[in-house]
Amino acid sequence: NTIMSLWNVDDEATMYLMGIFYSNLAERGPGEALRRAMLNTRRRYPEPSKWAAFLTFGNPVVAPDSH
């Protein structure tokens, strides 16, 4: 998976968003982790230019282990 930004974003807001993203990634998968991170960041930084630039490409969910 790849997480990317469509435009230059504020460093502080990005650090906040990515911290939430990574804390949710293992149990939620990249698509849901990014969605939750964006919603949470939106509450702290209401201006869309600070949180709406991010996209995830790849598989939006994590496949369960095949052991």
Side-chain angles (χ1 to χ4, degrees):
N1 287 292
T2 301
I3 303 295
M4 68 171 281
S5 172
L6 297 173
W7 57 80
N8 289 332
V9 290
D10 178 78
D11 288 342
E12 185 177 313
T14 300
M15 185 174 68
Y16 182 80
L17 184 142
M18 288 300 166
I20 296 166
F21 170 75
Y22 281 112
S23 70
N24 283 291
L25 185 58
E27 62 187 58
R28 306 228 185 262
E32 181 62 16
L34 182 60
R35 185 184 80 80
R36 287 175 181 249
M38 291 172 76
L39 290 172
N40 194 298
T41 303
R42 182 180 178 190
R43 286 192 284 276
R44 184 167 181 170
Y45 300 95
E47 179 62 39
S49 66
K50 306 234 178 178
W51 56 266
F54 297 95
L55 298 172
T56 181
F57 292 97
N59 191 355
V61 296
V62 176
D65 288 339
S66 57
H67 293 95

